[in-house]
Amino acid sequence: MEVAANCSLRVKRPLLDPRFEGYKLSLEPLPCYQLELDAAVAEVKLRDDQYTLEHMHAFGMYNYLHCDSWYQDSVYYVDNLGRIMNLTVMLDTALGKPREVFRLPTDLIAYDNRLCASMHFTSSTWVTLSDGTGRLYLIGTGERGNSASEKWEIMFNEELGNPFIIIHSISLLKAEEHSIATLLLRIEKEELDMKGSGFYVSLEWVTINKKSKDKKKYEITKRNILRGKSVPHYAAIEPNGNGLMIVSYKSFTFVQVGQNLEESKDEDMSEKIKEPLYYWQQTEDDLTVTISLPEDCTKEDIQIQFLPDHVNVVLKGQRFLEGNLYSSIDHESSTWIIKENNSLEISLIKKNEGLTWPELVVGDKQGEFIRDSAQCAAIAERLMHLTSDELVNLGSNQYLFSVIVDPKEMPCFCLRHDVDALLWQPHSGNQDDMWEHIATFNALGYVQASKRDKKFFACAPNYSYAALCECLRRVFIYRQPTPMSTVLYNRKEGRQVGQVAKQQVASLETSDPILGFQATNERLFVLTTKNLFLIKVNTEN
């Protein structure tokens, strides 16, 4: 069995500035433009049953403003009429109103337990979209930068179970076979968790495929599910579609690997929706089978025969479960009991301790196997050679934010390193240099720690500035050092200062909370319930 490799994040010393003297507050006014929205943003507030810190991280702090990294200065949001609204900026002094590009077919108000609608710009012509009810859409958009060819059209839509938000997606073309892989996040109730929060985080990696040019229909061909105990700071699919990269406080493990849905298409659908006859679990030493009993079933109505390789369960004269077991049991030590919730619990003691049973009764498909967290971890360990994990312990390197520098690559992530904030670009194909240090924001790790009310954090794709906003009104901008136009001396050291890094503060004229925040090379976009603000940060070179 291969062990996951431990890799290190190699800092590029030339990108650090040990003589950085801090940010100088600049009072230069920043041009700020305000657009009133026709309809309010479709904000979904946390429900009473979404009370954990993970719910807050995933949904309470959700960024409702989406930046199209394939096209310059183009942002999107969903309003409460179910419309996908777009604003593309050419000239700040001639701003148009946000325009509708697509309308969700679902009546969102009819769903009580929905999440916020989410989207990801998969490529220059594809968008993945969720309405927050559990339905996934693939949208062919045409070239979005060209009004003549842009047309949002549903190419695939399917109900995928419990509501989710979209984290990431990629478009792949291999041998004329087009596929889209997308990563979905859910927070699910953990019925058996008595000690923890009662919830776990699920990441579903879904692959949707179109086989050939002639076949227009897209369909799900693979579903992988990972499970963890904390919402990941960062999760992305590698550009080649072969793996995932996750930055998380707690680890994730595969609980379902590579379920190929093409092979199981011909199964009888009635069998899929039928309630399992029994549930079973296993440890290294034993197996537990749980059967829900009919209401009027008594102890006298139950006959169970244990043999070394065989079990026979009869309820009220009817054969319920009979067959050869996958492996031998200690039939003399195996027992059964009726529980308080009117269920029958059968305990089978394994003869071969440590052997994992893939099925209980050979060939029987009527039961459902339930894994516990320890078994998920063990399975993930055995699958290590299939997933080629690379592990980095971030230790005290606090995660700050992510940004898309090149839309063809995975998003970059920014970590605190001592007092600085360092930007890292993942490279999935390069094992020797999997995470490249590409930029540094001097002292920003230290500065941001003092901003107790910060909500969103971002930087320009060209690293010219970083910005953060508070929950209400205020936006802080930290620029990279630039040469001085006038002579300035450091009195303490008696030397001339060649560069200065400016800090600027913008205060928005609104009392509404900030719901979305995006940075481009030239502008900051700030979304509130009823307004979209544009802050001009840089002039075009």
Side-chain angles (χ1 to χ4, degrees), residues 77-135:
Y77 65 91
V78 183
D79 69 16
N80 58 15
L81 300 178
R83 302 180 301 174
I84 313 293
M85 305 297 286
N86 164 245
L87 179 71
T88 302
V89 180
M90 298 296 189
L91 194 64
D92 298 271
T93 51
L95 292 173
K97 280 267 190 186
R99 65 190 179 99
E100 178 184 339
V101 293
F102 183 75
R103 192 176 290 237
L104 288 165
T106 321
D107 178 14
L108 300 180
I109 300 163
Y111 290 82
D112 292 333
N113 68 333
R114 70 185 174 98
L115 299 175
C116 44
S118 56
M119 68 180 83
H120 188 266
F121 297 92
T122 313
S123 75
S124 59
T125 56
W126 287 91
V127 171
T128 46
L129 180 63
S130 161
D131 57 12
T133 70
R135 185 168 287 275

Side-chain angles (χ1 to χ4, degrees), residues 300-311:
E300 287 69 35
D301 296 324
I302 302 169
Q303 287 92 41
I304 299 178
Q305 182 185 29
F306 298 120
L307 296 173
D309 298 297
H310 193 92
V311 68

Side-chain angles (χ1 to χ4, degrees), residues 290-407:
T290 305
I291 298 167
S292 182
L293 294 172
E295 281 185 20
D296 54 349
C297 191
T298 63
K299 191 175 180 180
E300 287 69 35
D301 296 324
I302 302 169
Q303 287 92 41
I304 299 178
Q305 182 185 29
F306 298 120
L307 296 173
D309 298 297
H310 193 92
V311 68
N312 184 17
V313 180
V314 176
L315 300 179
K316 302 188 79 168
Q318 299 288 320
R319 184 179 292 133
F320 185 85
L321 177 65
E322 185 189 17
N324 292 326
L325 297 166
Y326 175 77
S327 185
S328 299
I329 60 169
D330 182 348
H331 65 288
E332 292 180 352
S333 303
S334 298
T335 59
W336 60 271
I337 187 173
I338 297 176
K339 304 285 281 185
E340 289 177 5
N341 60 355
N342 200 37
S343 66
L344 171 66
E345 187 175 283
I346 303 170
S347 296
L348 305 174
I349 309 302
K350 291 180 180 179
K351 254 290 175 52
N352 301 317
E353 291 180 9
L355 176 68
T356 301
W357 291 26
E359 57 183 343
L360 181 69
V361 173
V362 177
D364 186 82
K365 306 291 184 190
Q366 299 175 95
E368 184 176 308
F369 176 50
I370 300 172
R371 291 190 179 99
D372 64 20
S373 56
Q375 286 161 345
C376 291
I379 288 165
E381 197 173 330
R382 285 199 288 273
L383 292 168
M384 200 77 80
H385 68 287
L386 298 177
T387 56
S388 66
D389 293 349
E390 307 288 345
L391 303 179
V392 169
N393 184 357
L394 298 181
S396 59
N397 297 100
Q398 178 192 359
Y399 179 90
L400 299 177
F401 62 87
S402 66
V403 60
I404 297 173
V405 169
D406 178 355

